[in-house]
Amino acid sequence: MATAPFIHARCSYLPRFSNRNSSQQTPLPSSSSHASTSSSPSCSSSSNSGLSFSSGTNSGQRHQGLRAGAMNTTTNGKPIASKGNSKNDPDHLLVLVHGILASTADWTYAEAELKRRLGKNFLLYVSSSNTYTKTFTGIDGAGERLADEVLQVVKKTKSLKRISFLAHSLGGLFARYAIAVLYSPDTCNNDQPSDLANSMAENSQRTSFSKGGMIAGLEPINFITLATPHLGVRGKWQLPFLLGVPILEKLAAPMAPFLVGQTGSQLFFTDGKPDKPPLLLRMASDCEDGKFLSALGAFRSRIVYANVSYDHMVGWRTSSIRRETELRKAPRKSLDGYQHVVDVEYCPPVASDGPQFPPRAVKAKEAAQNVADTRKTVEYHEIIEDEIINGLQQLGWKKVDVSFHSSFWPFFAHNNIHVKNEWLHNAGAGVIAHVAESLRQQEASSILAASL
């Protein structure tokens, strides 16, 4: 049954939070300071990623309609100042997106804590359009529902000027699809002085995919995911509860559509015809289905939080957008003030031709779909995973590693990272504090940029 978008929404200006002290804030540790000083290589990649295909439905027309509606929320096409209004209404929308088989209740603790730390400038909105089994209907379908929901919030709240997303697990993929639906190019930001962008190396690394733009007619600031399978779940230890057992990993792909519907096919790269790139590969590019990379590039900051170990649902590699060879032994000591946050790394953009879907991938996909050939299946997975990384690494990312090895219940890592339940999963409180500080820093940067 469809759920009305505002029924389960819990907004940041609710009276129950208004009297809580928001002054207890801790600065980010110096260990992460190297992230902001990293310099990025120039990227010569083009917005044409080499993937060209039709969506096969009327989704293109639907996306145009949503984008047109989003543009109507701007002030006659003029740039919106990043300052509060005289009524002290919230002007920064933070959308919280839950994961698979979950609901708005998953954000109860994080919502309250973020409100306490962020203050009244933020409107926290907990998405309710993809609860429980609705998460089985496909990343694209869930992404469009989320886009609809966000657009309704924006239209209803006239004071909004900026937008950020915080998503857990599968919700990160829903959010990535939704922002492509809501994305519209914007030329207003081109008048900003070039040295301003250079002074914010951590957050505004410019490639061909990060030239600005609007999300639902608002200025995009932060895109943050917690334990999201950006590279899918196919491959050794990508779905950790299978324990790396080859036979179980082999059986998981054909069983996934029966257990979790179209979403399962997309996570295992078996969706669509053999000659069509899987959805997750298309989402690492700008293509006919949507400007996925441009939408991500429009955000000032992109941060992925990844569990180093003990996450039974999402592996470290896929949640941190790394190759196997890029994984290294993570530190075991937490950063000062942020328990279980063990490392912060800024990865600048890498020049690339973007993701490709070569003929050998087509053959490998057909074999993976139709023949129980382990070698072909592994070959197909390796091709697609590497191409997804090639696409996503065209943007700069801050990668935050989290380790619950010293917590009382380390095997709850997937739920700890966003404190699903305040009593069972409170080991992740330090992660939420770290997220809050990242949001506060970007808020300050956006206000500074608007004043210059």
Side-chain angles (χ1 to χ4, degrees), residues 1 140 146 452:
M1 181 177 68
D140 46 352
L146 175 59
L452 296 178

Side-chain angles (χ1 to χ4, degrees), residues 124-150:
L124 272 64
Y125 180 82
V126 184
S127 170
S128 62
S129 59
N130 293 300
T131 53
Y132 302 116
T133 55
K134 287 183 181 179
T135 56
F136 295 169
T137 60
I139 294 167
D140 46 352
E144 290 195 5
R145 285 193 295 271
L146 175 59
D148 265 330
E149 187 178 17
V150 170

Side-chain angles (χ1 to χ4, degrees), residues 34-35 322 328 343-347 397-401:
H34 68 280
R322 291 184 174 112
R328 61 189 187 282
D343 195 25
V344 178
E345 176 188 15
Y346 181 72
C347 298
W397 296 84
K398 180 187 284 186
K399 300 181 180 182
V400 182
D401 291 327

